[in-house]
Amino acid sequence: MSQSIDATAVAAAFTEAFGGTPDGVWAAPGRVNLIGEHTDYNEGFVLPFAIDRAAAVAIKLRTDNVARLRSSYGEALTVSVILDTLSHETMQGWTAYPLGVVWVMRQMGITLGGFDLFLHSTVPSGAGLSSSAAIECAVATAFNELESAGLSLNELVLVGQRAENEVVGAPTGILDQSASLLATEGHGVFLDCRTQESKAVPLDLDAANLLILVVDTKVSHAHATGGYSARRASCELGAEVLGVAALRDVSVSGLPEAAGLLDEETYRRVRHIVTENQRVLDTIAVLGHAGPGAIGDLLTASHASMRDDFEISCPELDLAVDTALAHGALGARMTGGGFGGSAIALIPAASEATVREGVLQAFAAAGFTAPDIFAVSAAPGARRIA
């Protein structure tokens, strides 16, 4: 079921919270990473697409130096901050995402005065669908327009990444913000994370009578916690020992040599990144000559690599993948940073009910929390919607 944003409702919520009419409403989507996990901060390749769930912000500029923020999350509480006092101590909870963007833009010399901001999001938090990047990209897009800052989409990507890294404390790459800002409807974003070059890749799922089903396991993850940081540190160690600028520079044919230079755990981490980069390139090639129905094995191989070599899966994700495959999925994998979150399954559209019921029954039998299961389509990127 689509969770599209109602711009009129967001504007009305702003008026109820602050009075007056917002200067505009901007939205940015979450994303599903079709393939290419943890390759972004290794200067590699990724293939995400934006989804039809988004974060929206209604904003009105103020004439003072005060920012007032409210969201549709939980209690209707307004957070007030004097912008000149922005610090890590004053940017906490959900406000770290919008205020982090404001802090970065001010650090860049962009003059941002006071504002009122209301946030509403339909991207589930902790599901590995980039709910945080959606907020960052909506806010960055809004202030880029409101302040006539003139930043390019690629520059806005780096604003969001810097907010995530320096304010939120999550050592992520540029995948999430790139998907949210660069996406076009019906396409994936093939991104070279070293050069920031991107290309729209047709997915054509409808024409092939296919759909992508998301299984949100309800196992929450947080990028700022240790697992993600530890994997990144392993990758950096591997690159250092192998004498390369980034693991992007190691080919599949170079893995036997790497095995002789690295300890066993670091080698497995490196092997995932190297083979995952190759799987992204292979997926692009297969999409071009055979269409989306032929990429299933690559998706499933990606999951096995994340489960066994990178060790970022969990029992719920593995069960979602295995059950979807057993009920007719062409391919399935966990998506996102790992340690929880969501799995995706590429399935014939006619099999949706069968796969959905199979996964629900398997989770119930295992004693797991019931997952949220929904189809997603490739949506457009960040934009003004009112």
Side-chain angles (χ1 to χ4, degrees):
M1 182 174 64
S2 176
Q3 295 282 324
S4 58
I5 293 289
D6 182 341
T8 302
V10 175
F14 174 96
T15 299
E16 182 179 351
F18 301 112
T21 302
D23 294 330
V25 181
W26 293 260
R31 65 98 186 95
V32 155
N33 195 22
L34 187 63
I35 196 163
E37 222 63 75
H38 287 258
T39 48
D40 58 344
Y41 57 79
N42 288 289
E43 300 185 11
F45 306 107
V46 294
L47 182 59
F49 64 91
I51 62 174
D52 49 345
R53 294 185 175 220
V57 289
I59 297 175
K60 184 176 183 63
L61 297 180
R62 298 168 58 92
T63 57
D64 55 17
N65 196 38
V66 174
R68 298 191 301 173
L69 304 94
R70 187 183 291 191
S71 79
S72 56
Y73 303 131
E75 298 180 46
L77 299 176
T78 298
V79 177
S80 294
V81 179
I82 299 172
L83 290 178
D84 286 345
T85 67
L86 275 187
S87 66
H88 286 77
E89 289 70 35
T90 58
M91 295 184 284
Q92 297 292 327
W94 70 268
T95 67
Y97 301 103
L99 290 176
V101 168
V102 170
W103 180 82
V104 170
M105 295 180 85
R106 285 167 63 95
Q107 290 283 308
M108 295 169 65
I110 297 168
T111 302
L112 288 178
F115 59 88
D116 292 334
L117 179 153
F118 184 87
L119 166 68
H120 175 68
S121 180
T122 60
V123 187
S125 178
L129 302 177
S130 296
S131 57
S132 60
I135 298 170
E136 292 155 359
C137 293
V139 173
T141 300
F143 282 119
N144 192 43
E145 178 181 336
L146 287 168
E147 301 294 348
S148 300
L151 299 179
S152 68
L153 291 178
N154 280 344
E155 287 171 322
L156 291 177
V157 166
L158 297 178
V159 167
Q161 184 202 15
R162 188 175 166 194
E164 192 82 31
N165 293 173
E166 297 182 27
V167 178
V168 179
T172 54
I174 62 172
L175 186 163
D176 299 342
Q177 291 81 9
S178 296
S180 189
L181 285 158
L182 304 176
T184 55
E185 190 168 6
H187 293 72
V189 179
F190 174 42
L191 177 67
D192 181 332
C193 295
R194 170 167 283 172
T195 65
Q196 261 196 291
E197 293 177 359
S198 63
K199 180 175 73 172
V201 177
L203 293 181
D204 296 329
L205 294 170
D206 289 344
N209 293 313
L210 299 172
L211 59 81
I212 289 179
L213 207 61
V214 173
V215 181
D216 177 1
T217 65
K218 300 296 186 179
V219 178
S220 186
H221 74 160
H223 279 168
T225 55
Y228 194 103
S229 299
R231 296 308 181 277
R232 182 161 187 163
S234 287
C235 293
E236 291 169 352
L237 173 63
E240 180 182 354
V241 172
L242 296 176
V244 293
L247 294 183
R248 148 75 168 273
D249 299 312
V250 181
S251 65
V252 172
S253 63
L255 284 174
E257 180 183 356
L261 297 171
L262 301 168
D263 66 85
E264 193 269 339
E265 180 181 274
T266 304
Y267 172 68
R268 285 189 288 109
R269 306 296 188 246
V270 168
R271 182 168 62 185
H272 165 70
I273 299 301
V274 172
T275 58
E276 186 79 345
N277 272 325
Q278 187 60 50
R279 280 186 289 270
V280 175
L281 299 176
D282 291 346
T283 298
I284 297 295
V286 171
L287 283 170
H289 68 72
I295 66 171
D297 288 347
L298 288 162
L299 302 184
T300 305
S302 173
H303 183 76
S305 181
M306 291 185 286
R307 180 192 64 211
D308 300 335
D309 278 355
F310 223 58
E311 295 183 284
I312 56 172
S313 190
C314 65
E316 291 86 349
L317 287 168
D318 293 339
L319 182 62
V321 167
D322 293 344
T323 305
L325 292 170
H327 286 78
L330 305 180
R333 66 188 287 272
M334 58 148 283
T335 187
F339 311 103
S342 297
I344 58 171
L346 177 68
I347 66 173
S351 300
E352 181 177 0
T354 302
V355 174
R356 182 189 301 272
E357 188 58 31
V359 172
L360 288 171
Q361 290 180 1
F363 270 59
F368 295 154
T369 299
D372 188 15
I373 304 174
F374 52 93
V376 291
S377 57
R383 63 208 184 279
R384 183 174 185 146
I385 60 172

